Amino acid sequence: QNVKRSDKFHMTKSLNHLLAKSLLFKKGQMAIVIVLVSLLFILIMIPVIEMFVERETKWSLADKRKTTAFHLAEAGLDRAVWKLNEKETYWNDAAKGTIFVGYNNDKTYTDIKGGSYQIQISSVNGKTQVKITSTGKDSSNNEFRAIEAFYEVSAPVAAIQAPTLQFNSSFKAFWGPVMSLTDISLNSSADELFPRKFARTSITSSSSYGDRDNNASPANTDCREYWAYNDATCGSSGVPDMPLVDINWYRTQSQIAPNLYYDTPPATETFSNLQDNAPKIRFFEGNATFTGTTHFRGWIIAMGKVTFNASGYDNATYGSYTVSASSIPAEAWKEHQKNVFDKGTNPGGGCTSGCNGGGIGKVDDDNYDNDSEAEADDCCIDQYPGDGGYHVVESFNFKTGCIAHNKLAGHSGEPVAFRGLVYSGDVMDMNSSTVIHGIIVAPGGFKGTSSGIVFYDPFAEVELVNDNFTRTYWKEIIPTPF
């Protein structure tokens, strides 16, 4: 029995040993399998990782090149702005469409490390805006970026612009809006539903139409005739700052014949029956007063007060001239969105409705089938000076009216006393039957009385200080390779 027990013990021990070796062998096999699988995974992933690294490198390089091209385009904008500031007259030249050598995509600049760029300076509206387009190219010649930016100055955009406006008696303005940095006061027959009125504070009236708005709380516009408290809705961006007329430029030019310079004393220069149809700069260090039967043209720049108490000179080459439709603001109809001056005449030819509106002093009731009340410009003609139909203007003579119809349509028929720009450093006083065709910029304020009339001329040339232009808009555009 003892022997048998010993054999059993040894047999069991041997079996356990064999089982242990078997388990170790299996564990070794599993480890080998895991190692082989891991090596296989690594072998598979190495090309994938290399591909991603290569792509990431390419993407990073492409981004760097794109960024470089964009910075080069920005450098082009900076260079163009520097050019416009280089000389006093360059802004006005650019606004009028002058082509600058090197700034018409005709030169490639390489002064910035990493690539090159081209620039184009162009006019937008011939007066107040300039567009700059700059295209950058990185040194690989593969990446292009382009930027388009608009710059503008605070130029005259109204028939009259002043810190305060006061209209009395039967004073009128046609073809353009009026703008005030503070209030507008309408009195007597000067209180009409035309033109458009823009003010940074109140617009009040002592007449039948009543105050437009004397409460700063919105809403401050009717979206047609008035915008009070600097309302910037319904197509308005608010009242701009006063245009910076280049006084020093005019002062210098006025001392070059045939222009005229008037120093002080006397404090006031007075002119009676001034008749001159050749445009001239007339610069006054003091005040300027004009009376009698008058017609002259050009630029009045007065550091003091400008006073007009003059009738126009009735002569075809002087005050009774004709302006073509292209010289009348195409959007003159916008001044008559609530009230046209006269009912006008149905021209036929597809204009099937009756002629609405007309009637100074009528109340707008928004009923276009009601001919007795004041309504907006429609398909009829001669509802305001130069009206050629629905949102259309036509040639107009200041003495006889529309060329095609001989209708004055709200104008008195008084010839023009002055054509051009009036700048009045002190309060400008315009009275009697004076008619001005042009632009009035009056930093001292403006008062219109009696039967005076201003016809807005957006084409009147105004030299502006060129270092106050600002960028109003920019965007990236599709580049044109060079």
Side-chain angles (χ1 to χ4, degrees):
Q1 277 186 334
N2 290 335
V3 172
K4 288 180 180 178
R5 286 178 180 174
S6 174
D7 290 341
K8 287 180 180 178
F9 172 78
H10 286 294
M11 289 174 65
T12 301
K13 185 176 179 181
S14 297
L15 182 61
N16 289 337
H17 183 69
L18 288 171
L19 289 172
K21 282 187 175 181
S22 176
L23 289 172
L24 286 172
F25 179 76
K26 288 182 178 179
K27 287 182 179 179
Q29 282 184 322
M30 184 63 68
I32 291 172
V33 170
I34 292 172
V35 170
L36 291 174
V37 170
S38 298
L39 288 173
L40 180 62
F41 177 78
I42 292 171
L43 290 173
I44 293 172
M45 289 304 298
I46 284 175
V48 176
I49 293 171
E50 287 180 345
M51 180 183 69
F52 276 112
V53 170
E54 184 178 352
R55 287 185 178 179
E56 180 65 27
T57 301
K58 289 181 179 179
W59 290 337
S60 298
L61 182 59
D63 284 341
K64 182 178 182 299
R65 289 171 174 172
K66 288 180 180 178
T67 301
T68 299
F70 186 80
H71 289 327
L72 288 163
E74 288 184 316
L77 288 183
D78 292 340
R79 189 184 191 98
V81 170
W82 170 83
K83 181 66 177 178
L84 293 176
N85 276 314
E86 180 184 2
K87 194 174 180 181
E88 189 173 359
T89 59
Y90 277 0
W91 169 268
N92 289 316
D93 291 341
K96 294 171 186 175
T98 297
I99 296 175
F100 296 96
V101 175
Y103 296 85
N104 192 35
N105 288 334
D106 56 345
K107 181 177 180 179
T108 300
Y109 294 92
T110 58
D111 56 306
I112 303 296
K113 184 179 180 180
S116 57
Y117 58 91
Q118 288 188 353
I119 309 166
Q120 184 178 50
I121 299 176
S122 57
S123 174
V124 177
N125 58 14
K127 188 173 184 180
T128 62
Q129 281 190 326
V130 165
K131 181 176 74 174
I132 299 173
T133 304
S134 178
T135 305
K137 176 177 67 174
D138 86 301
S139 56
S140 73
N141 295 333
N142 292 324
E143 294 295 341
F144 292 85
R145 301 283 291 274
I147 302 173
E148 179 182 85
F150 291 84
Y151 297 79
E152 67 178 32
V153 296
S154 294
V157 291
I160 309 169
Q161 189 166 347
T164 183
L165 296 178
Q166 183 182 122
F167 299 155
N168 302 316
S169 188
S170 57
F171 182 85
K172 301 179 184 68
F174 289 113
W175 296 353
V178 295
M179 295 183 174
S180 171
L181 297 185
T182 56
D183 65 302
I184 296 177
S185 175
L186 307 168
N187 302 290
S188 189
S189 299
D191 180 18
E192 298 296 351
L193 299 177
F194 65 87
R196 286 174 296 163
K197 305 165 184 69
F198 298 83
R200 289 187 179 179
T201 60
S202 64
I203 302 176
T204 59
S205 166
S206 63
S207 189
S208 57
Y209 287 126
D211 293 343
R212 306 305 194 270
D213 196 341
N214 61 3
N215 186 336
S217 300
N220 301 115
T221 177
D222 66 350
C223 295
R224 292 193 290 174
E225 183 231 352
Y226 71 87
W227 284 258
Y229 295 98
N230 220 24
D231 193 294
T233 61
C234 299
S236 169
S237 55
V239 177
D241 293 336
M242 289 293 294
L244 294 182
V245 176
D246 196 338
I247 300 301
N248 290 331
W249 185 88
Y250 281 109
R251 180 182 281 113
T252 299
Q253 294 298 312
S254 69
Q255 299 175 53
I256 302 173
N259 301 314
L260 300 163
Y261 174 74
Y262 300 92
D263 201 352
T264 53
T268 299
E269 296 281 353
T270 301
F271 302 85
S272 182
N273 301 321
L274 175 60
Q275 296 168 4
D276 184 359
N277 62 359
K280 294 181 177 66
I281 298 172
R282 290 175 166 85
F283 192 99
F284 303 89
E285 297 290 358
N287 305 322
T289 297
F290 304 93
T291 64
T293 302
T294 296
H295 179 81
F296 63 110
R297 303 179 183 185
W299 302 264
I300 300 171
I301 309 295
M303 296 296 94
K305 178 178 182 177
V306 175
T307 301
F308 266 98
N309 188 11
S311 58
Y313 176 34
D314 185 7
N315 182 287
T317 59
Y318 285 80
S320 299
Y321 58 90
T322 296
V323 287
S324 64
S326 61
S327 297
I328 300 173
E331 295 185 335
W333 60 269
K334 283 190 174 181
E335 314 314 324
H336 298 276
Q337 297 184 76
K338 290 189 72 171
N339 190 2
V340 290
F341 198 96
D342 289 331
K343 279 184 64 174
T345 303
N346 190 324
C351 182
T352 57
S353 65
C355 293
N356 296 310
I360 296 303
K362 299 292 185 178
V363 177
D364 179 22
D365 62 359
D366 284 320
N367 179 3
Y368 284 79
D369 294 324
N370 182 348
D371 292 350
S372 66
E373 302 300 334
E375 306 292 359
D377 172 48
D378 57 28
C379 64
C380 294
I381 57 177
D382 300 316
Q383 295 178 311
Y384 61 87
D387 176 28
Y390 180 66
H391 295 183
V392 176
V393 294
E394 64 179 15
S395 299
F396 184 80
N397 181 275
F398 287 99
K399 178 65 177 179
T400 60
C402 285
I403 300 301
H405 320 117
N406 290 326
K407 295 291 184 67
L408 290 164
H411 177 44
S412 62
E414 179 66 34
V416 174
F418 175 74
R419 181 177 187 177
L421 167 71
V422 180
Y423 178 93
S424 180
D426 203 344
V427 179
M428 178 175 174
D429 193 355
M430 180 176 168
N431 51 60
S432 186
S433 56
T434 301
V435 177
I436 290 178
H437 178 209
I439 295 172
I440 296 174
V441 178
F446 179 88
K447 182 171 70 173
T449 61
S450 190
S451 54
I453 301 176
V454 175
F455 286 87
Y456 176 48
D457 180 9
F459 305 102
E461 292 189 8
V462 183
E463 294 292 331
L464 300 164
V465 175
N466 71 343
D467 61 358
N468 72 318
F469 60 86
T470 57
R471 188 166 74 184
T472 58
Y473 174 77
W474 78 274
K475 66 177 180 179
E476 187 171 3
I477 60 174
I478 299 173
T480 301
F482 59 88

